[in-house]
């Protein structure tokens, strides 16, 4: 936690190497989130890189308070939403793109059959529900932060979460 605060402080003081530290530390989490939202390897990389380009461009204007990981994951979610909007929502349809992001060899983890089933089930959810589920469970963001990010009420976000979970349970054949 102290390392993240140090990165924020150094970045705010103009240390561009701190940006590299942020990238090295949070890249995998950001890529995983972007892939879950976009289902497009190249698009996920573009989203993560766009976040860092924007950070660099507004280095002296930006003020990061709180959890750096949550800030970066929220930025990725917002960027993914913008990318989908720019593409006319073509990516958000429930048609898998086929291309999957592959982690670097040192990051490779053998995915279990259950993880693959979950990934396929997540792809079948409407984008808004998938985004809320991923931000809440993976990103560990509070409903209030997700609501602010999506420009929706907390009740709407909680509903998306609840309906998304129900659909996931149904798709995975789980009993409540």
């Amino acid at each position: 936690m102290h390392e993240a605060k140090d990165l924020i402080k150094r970045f705010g003081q103009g240390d561009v190497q701190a940006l590299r530290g942020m990238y090295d530390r949070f890249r995998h989490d950001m890529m995983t989130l972007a892939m879950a939202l976009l289902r497009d390897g190249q698009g996920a990389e573009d989203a993560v890189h766009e976040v860092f380009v924007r950070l660099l461009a507004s280095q002296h204007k930006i003020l990061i308070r709180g959890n750096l990981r949550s800030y970066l994951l929220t930025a990725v979610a917002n960027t993914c939403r913008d990318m989908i909007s720019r593409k006319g929502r073509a990516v958000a349809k429930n048609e898998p793109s086929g291309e999957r992001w592959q982690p670097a060899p040192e990051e490779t983890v053998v995915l279990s059959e259950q993880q693959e089933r979950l990934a396929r089930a997540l792809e079948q959810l409407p984008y808004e529900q998938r985004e809320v589920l991923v931000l809440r469970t993976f990103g560990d963001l509070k409903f209030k932060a997700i609501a602010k990010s999506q420009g929706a009420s907390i009740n709407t976000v909680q509903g998306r979460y609840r309906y998304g979970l129900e659909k996931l349970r149904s798709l995975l054949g789980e009993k409540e």
Side-chain angles (χ1 to χ4, degrees):
M1 189 59 73
H2 292 287
E3 180 185 349
K5 287 182 181 183
D6 181 55
L7 289 171
I8 293 169
K9 181 179 176 185
R10 288 180 25 225
F11 181 69
Q13 294 171 342
D15 182 355
V16 180
Q17 287 303 314
L19 189 66
R20 176 65 185 196
M22 290 179 202
Y23 181 83
D24 290 342
R25 180 156 183 203
F26 298 106
R27 174 187 160 296
H28 181 75
D29 290 348
M30 295 170 73
M31 282 295 297
T32 302
L33 175 62
M35 272 304 299
L37 296 176
L38 296 175
R39 299 183 322 259
D40 171 28
Q42 186 60 51
E45 286 182 18
D46 291 347
V48 171
H49 292 157
E50 189 171 322
V51 167
F52 284 102
V53 167
R54 287 181 183 170
L55 276 172
L56 187 58
S58 57
Q59 181 176 13
H60 297 290
K61 295 184 272 185
I62 201 159
L63 186 59
I64 301 172
R65 293 192 173 132
N67 186 298
L68 178 59
R69 180 177 181 271
S70 292
Y71 178 89
L72 293 172
L73 292 177
T74 300
V76 166
N78 290 337
T79 301
C80 290
R81 194 177 313 113
D82 290 347
M83 290 171 73
I84 289 170
S85 179
R86 286 192 303 257
K87 287 185 177 183
R89 309 213 34 93
V91 176
K93 292 183 181 172
N94 290 328
E95 300 171 9
S97 67
E99 183 181 352
R100 301 237 184 249
W101 171 66
Q102 295 297 319
E106 65 273 5
E107 297 173 331
T108 302
V109 176
V110 178
L111 294 176
S112 70
E113 185 176 313
Q114 290 177 342
Q115 288 171 318
E116 279 296 319
R117 284 184 63 218
L118 178 60
R120 285 192 302 270
L122 273 171
E123 288 178 355
Q124 295 179 46
L125 295 179
Y127 179 81
E128 290 81 7
Q129 291 175 9
R130 183 171 62 245
E131 181 179 13
V132 171
L133 280 170
V134 171
L135 287 172
R136 179 75 178 124
T137 57
F138 173 75
D140 200 30
L141 295 181
K142 305 266 188 248
F143 287 122
K144 184 177 180 179
I146 298 169
K148 184 177 178 185
S149 167
Q150 289 188 336
S153 72
I154 291 177
N155 288 338
T156 297
V157 168
Q158 289 172 330
R160 289 174 180 166
Y161 182 77
R162 185 176 59 255
Y163 293 131
L165 278 180
E166 288 172 6
K167 181 151 185 170
L168 269 183
R169 285 184 184 121
S170 171
L171 291 167
L172 295 171
E174 294 180 11
K175 295 181 175 141
E176 294 187 34

